[in-house]
Amino acid sequence: MAGEFRAPTSKNRLSKKFSNRIGSTTRARSKSSGFRVILAISILSLLMFSFSFVSMARASQTVVTTIPVGAGPFAVAYDSGMGEVFVANSENNTVSVISDVSNTVVATVNLGGFWPLAVAYDSGMGEVFVANSAGPFAGDSVKVISDVSNTVVATIPVGTFPVAVAYDSGTGEIFVTNSQDDTVSVISDLSNTVVATIPVGTYPAGAAYDGVMREVFVTNQFSSSVSVISDASNTVVATVNVGSGPFGVGYDRGIEDVFVANSNNGTVSVISDLSNTVAAIVKVGAHPLAVAYDSGVREVFVTDLGSTVRVISDATVSLAVSASPSILSITRGTSTNVTVTLTSMNHFSGIVSLTATIAPMTPKSPSLALSATSLTVSSGGTATSMLKISTAHSPQGDGAYVISVTATSSSVLHTITINLSVTKT
C-alpha cells in the first residue's frame, strides 16, 4: 500500500500512543513497530465499521440511542445469556457492560492492565474473555469476566500482544492470537489455563471458529496466509495462501466458507472449509480490514479504509475450483497430470476460461499445458480439464514451484495453487 494515514489527533487519542503508518508487508522485525501496524489497522477497521454500517445496511434503520462508555472503545461482544453487550475501552483499561433492555451501562469492570483489544463471549461458561496487552513489564494476559457478577474472575498469561480472540464452542476453548510471538494460545474455559501454544505464521491478526469442521482460521498478516487449526489436535493442519496483508476473517455458516479480508490488495479470499483452498477471490475496496457474517440475509460485511462497508452476498460465491492432487512431487525427466475441476454453486452456469502459470518462471521450469482452456459449466454440474506438468523435454531445474490456476468468467475470478516439487530421482 502506498501512502500514509494519520488519524486526527483531536478525535483519536490513540494516535498519540501509536504510529498510524499502514504500509507494505515488508517485515521490519521490530516488536513494537509490528504491533503498531496491527493495532493501527485494527483501530481504523473498527472505527470504519461503527461509523459506516448504520448509513448503508438498511434504509429504514436509524441510530436509536448513544451510550457513553470508557475512553477508546475498541472491541465489542454480545452476551446472549444475560442480554448484555461488553465493550473493551482501550484507553482506560476497562470494560463497559451495557444492558440491551435499558441501553445503559450497568457495570464498569476494571481490568488492571493496558489496551484491551479483543472480546469474545463464552456461552458455555457464561464468561467473557478479554485480550489485555499490558506490555513487557506487567505481562500480557486474557482477563476472564463472569457475566453474573461482572467482575474479573481469572487472569491468564498468554503470548506477546494478544489482538484477537475466538471462542470454540465444540471444545470449550478460547483461541488467542499473539501478534508478536507468531503463536496462538489455547485456553480451556474449565480450568482457565493455557493448554496449548500453537506456532502459526507471521503476525497472527484475526481468528474465526468454524463449527462445522471444528477448525479455527487464523490470518497471518505478514505471511499472506491463513493457518487452519484443528481443535481436536490443537495443531495447524493446513496453511492457505491468500492475498497480501490478510487481517479480518469471518465464517459464513450459510455456505460453510471462510472470508478473509486482504488489507493490502483490495480483495477478499473465500476459503472452502472442505478443501482448505481458496475457492474464490472477490474484488472489494482498496483496504478491506474487518469481516462479519449476517446469517439473516446471508451477506458478508467488509469494512474499508475508504469510509465504506462492502456487502457481499454469499450467493455470488458461485463456482468452486479444485485441483487433484494439489501437492505433488515428480522426478526430473517425467511428466504427470493434475485434474482441475469446476463445480457450479448457487445455480451458476456459463463459460469459464482457465489459465495456468508457474513460479518461479525460468528456462528450466517445468512446462504446463491444459487440455481445455474454455469450459462450459451447467447449473449444478461440473467440468474438468487436465493440467499436464512436464519436465521430460529438456533438463529441468530441481526444487519447489507454485502453480497458479485461474478460472475467470463475466462474474467470477478464482485462483487456486498447486505445490510442486521436482527431484533428481
Side-chain angles (χ1 to χ4, degrees):
M1 272 189 267
E4 184 175 293
F5 181 93
R6 295 189 181 277
T9 56
S10 61
K11 294 183 180 179
N12 184 0
R13 286 171 298 203
L14 276 177
S15 63
K16 297 178 182 178
K17 295 183 179 180
F18 306 109
S19 166
N20 281 332
R21 178 175 297 275
I22 301 172
S24 71
T25 57
T26 301
R27 183 183 176 202
R29 189 56 168 175
S30 162
K31 293 296 185 181
S32 59
S33 64
F35 173 67
R36 287 195 294 267
V37 172
I38 293 176
L39 184 59
I41 292 177
S42 303
I43 292 167
L44 293 169
S45 170
L46 292 172
L47 289 175
M48 297 304 173
F49 188 79
S50 61
F51 295 149
S52 303
F53 178 77
V54 172
S55 64
M56 69 164 294
R58 295 289 185 272
S60 61
Q61 291 183 345
T62 59
V63 175
V64 295
T65 189
T66 299
I67 307 168
V69 292
F74 189 80
V76 61
Y78 175 61
D79 177 341
S80 57
M82 299 295 289
E84 293 177 334
V85 176
F86 287 71
V87 180
N89 304 308
S90 62
E91 290 190 47
N92 68 353
N93 314 319
T94 64
V95 171
S96 298
V97 185
I98 300 171
S99 167
D100 67 359
V101 175
S102 63
N103 283 327
T104 58
V105 175
V106 295
T108 299
V109 185
N110 292 313
L111 298 178
F114 300 96
W115 305 327
L117 301 178
V119 184
Y121 171 60
D122 178 342
S123 57
M125 298 296 289
E127 293 176 332
V128 176
F129 287 73
V130 183
N132 202 37
S133 294
F137 300 104
D140 295 329
S141 66
V142 168
K143 301 285 186 177
V144 185
I145 300 173
S146 166
D147 68 358
V148 175
S149 63
N150 285 332
T151 59
V152 175
V153 295
T155 298
I156 307 166
V158 291
T160 307
F161 283 119
V163 296
V165 182
Y167 170 60
D168 178 340
S169 57
T171 59
E173 293 178 333
I174 290 81
F175 287 71
V176 183
T177 63
N178 305 310
S179 63
Q180 292 190 8
D181 286 350
D182 302 342
T183 64
V184 171
S185 296
V186 185
I187 298 171
S188 166
D189 67 359
L190 291 177
S191 62
N192 283 335
T193 59
V194 173
V195 295
T197 300
I198 307 168
V200 289
T202 309
Y203 281 89
Y209 173 60
D210 176 347
V212 173
M213 298 299 290
R214 301 281 297 272
E215 293 174 334
V216 177
F217 288 74
V218 174
T219 58
N220 303 308
Q221 189 186 18
F222 285 4
S223 296
S224 296
S225 66
V226 172
S227 297
V228 185
I229 299 172
S230 166
D231 70 359
S233 61
N234 282 335
T235 59
V236 174
V237 295
T239 300
V240 185
N241 294 322
V242 291
S244 177
F247 194 81
V249 57
Y251 174 60
D252 180 337
R253 298 189 301 275
I255 58 174
E256 298 178 9
D257 282 347
V258 177
F259 286 68
V260 178
N262 302 310
S263 62
N264 287 353
N265 67 353
T267 65
V268 171
S269 295
V270 185
I271 299 175
S272 167
D273 70 354
L274 293 177
S275 62
N276 285 333
T277 59
V278 174
I281 298 174
V282 182
K283 295 181 179 179
V284 290
H287 307 299
L289 294 173
V291 179
Y293 172 62
D294 180 344
S295 59
V297 293
R298 297 277 300 272
E299 291 175 337
V300 177
F301 290 74
V302 182
T303 66
D304 188 288
L305 285 185
S307 299
T308 58
V309 172
R310 308 284 173 164
V311 183
I312 303 171
S313 169
D314 67 7
T316 62
V317 182
S318 52
L319 186 71
V321 184
S322 63
S324 179
S326 59
I327 301 175
L328 68 157
S329 177
I330 61 175
T331 304
R332 183 199 301 177
T334 64
S335 61
T336 190
N337 290 324
V338 171
T339 303
V340 178
T341 303
L342 310 180
T343 303
S344 169
M345 299 173 62
N346 295 314
H347 307 290
F348 170 86
S349 63
I351 298 175
V352 181
S353 298
L354 287 180
T355 59
T357 59
I358 191 167
M361 181 62 186
T362 72
K364 295 184 178 181
S365 299
S367 62
L368 307 177
L370 287 161
S371 63
T373 58
S374 180
L375 298 173
T376 299
V377 182
S378 58
S379 177
T382 62
T384 61
S385 177
M386 301 301 296
L387 173 64
K388 184 176 182 180
I389 305 169
S390 177
T391 66
H393 302 297
S394 62
Q396 304 296 331
D398 302 331
Y401 297 87
V402 176
I403 299 170
S404 297
V405 179
T406 301
T408 58
S409 74
S410 58
S411 60
V412 173
L413 171 63
H414 302 222
T415 300
I416 60 170
T417 58
I418 301 166
N419 294 313
L420 171 68
S421 176
V422 178
T423 61
K424 290 182 180 180
T425 56

